[in-house]
Amino acid sequence: MSSVLSISGLRAAIPGKEILRSVDLEVRSGEVHAVMGPNGSGKSTLSHVLMGRGDYEVLGGSVTIDGQELLGLPAWKRAHAGLFLAMQYPIEVPGVSLEGALGEALASMGRDRSGVRDLVLAEARGIGFDERFLSRPLNVDLSGGERKRNETVQLGVLRPKFAILDEVDSGLDIDALRAVARRVEAATSEYDLGVLAITHYSRLLHELRPDVVHILSGGRIVATGGPELAEELERTGYAAYGEQGEQQERAPAPVDPRISEPFADPLA
């Protein structure tokens, strides 16, 4: 059964600064939509607000999956509704294994967890994720690229209705990017996954072929087109879609739960 992720008039802010200024998008099952834009344009903010990160204030609008309103729901309920976020900076979760986390996630949705190990192994092998990493605590001592493969394994096991990929290409070499992108693209036909891929660069879109490309600038969608729009940006940059210096502040840095200060970007 086809599903629809609908974003209408979405506005969001951090204290003293509005970042998203009425974003409208609609993604259907099996479609790949790319959101591109310069640094600070609101791309990562969009992913965090959709998934329910608490340090953003939603000022207005609506986000629904098949008519179910997500705004106001905690992140776990949004996940149960069919939303998945592959984070730009996946954090370490000491003491929690990948298999354990996915088993609990499946059980919380009323799905059989007994075969989770076989599912994890199959997904890991499919994208070249070293099996020795599967027994480690989640993301502990993994490189940036390995963390992105780890996120892709989770996506394949959980099979959500919609996946938000927040710069999944950052930290990946060419081979890893190809493996991750091909697994995501296969999921669009395998179980009708809808994809919202957020990226700076068109290199991801050479592997994960988009149906629709949107340009986000100044917290608004300022242009929408087909794959040719990404090709145009590769030639001309973002100059025609607003000055980068006028864009919004960066999203708050992720916080390592073991320390009180934001940790350094592991992919820098």
Side-chain angles (χ1 to χ4, degrees), residues 29 59 87 89 92 122 158 173 186 195 199 202 208 238:
S29 295
L59 304 177
M87 294 184 290
Y89 306 122
E92 295 183 359
L158 294 174
D173 61 29
V195 178
T199 184
S202 61
L208 180 61
Y238 293 105

Side-chain angles (χ1 to χ4, degrees), residues 1 3 29-30 82 84 123 152-163 183-195:
M1 184 175 178
S3 293
S29 295
F84 176 93
E123 292 293 337
T152 309
V153 169
Q154 296 170 49
L155 172 62
V157 171
L158 294 174
R159 295 192 166 211
K161 293 178 181 178
F162 295 96
R183 179 63 189 104
V184 173
E185 186 163 278
T188 64
S189 56
E190 185 179 331
Y191 56 93
D192 280 338
L193 176 70
V195 178

Side-chain angles (χ1 to χ4, degrees), residues 102-178:
L102 289 174
E104 290 297 324
L106 292 174
S108 73
M109 294 184 285
R111 293 166 57 185
D112 182 12
R113 63 177 296 171
S114 62
V116 67
R117 179 165 180 77
D118 289 339
L119 291 173
V120 169
L121 284 171
E123 292 293 337
R125 290 166 180 165
I127 61 168
F129 186 57
D130 197 318
E131 293 178 26
R132 63 192 172 93
F133 296 142
L134 300 179
S135 59
R136 293 186 184 179
L138 196 59
N139 289 324
V140 171
D141 294 329
L142 298 189
S143 69
E146 289 160 351
R147 295 183 187 205
K148 295 301 180 73
R149 290 188 198 244
N150 200 347
E151 297 275 287
T152 309
V153 169
Q154 296 170 49
L155 172 62
V157 171
L158 294 174
R159 295 192 166 211
K161 293 178 181 178
F162 295 96
I164 306 163
L165 310 180
D166 188 5
E167 298 195 26
V168 70
D169 50 326
S170 63
L172 295 182
D173 61 29
I174 294 173
D175 292 333
L177 175 62
R178 184 173 294 117

Side-chain angles (χ1 to χ4, degrees), residues 28 32 56 90 129 155 173 175 177 198 229 243 251:
R28 296 183 176 273
V32 176
Y56 293 95
F129 186 57
L155 172 62
D173 61 29
D175 292 333
L177 175 62
I198 295 169
L229 185 54
E243 292 298 321

Side-chain angles (χ1 to χ4, degrees), residues 16-33:
K17 191 75 171 181
E18 185 170 353
I19 299 178
L20 300 181
R21 303 175 177 182
S22 192
V23 174
D24 297 286
L25 278 175
E26 186 173 278
V27 183
R28 296 183 176 273
S29 295
E31 293 181 345
V32 176
H33 287 237

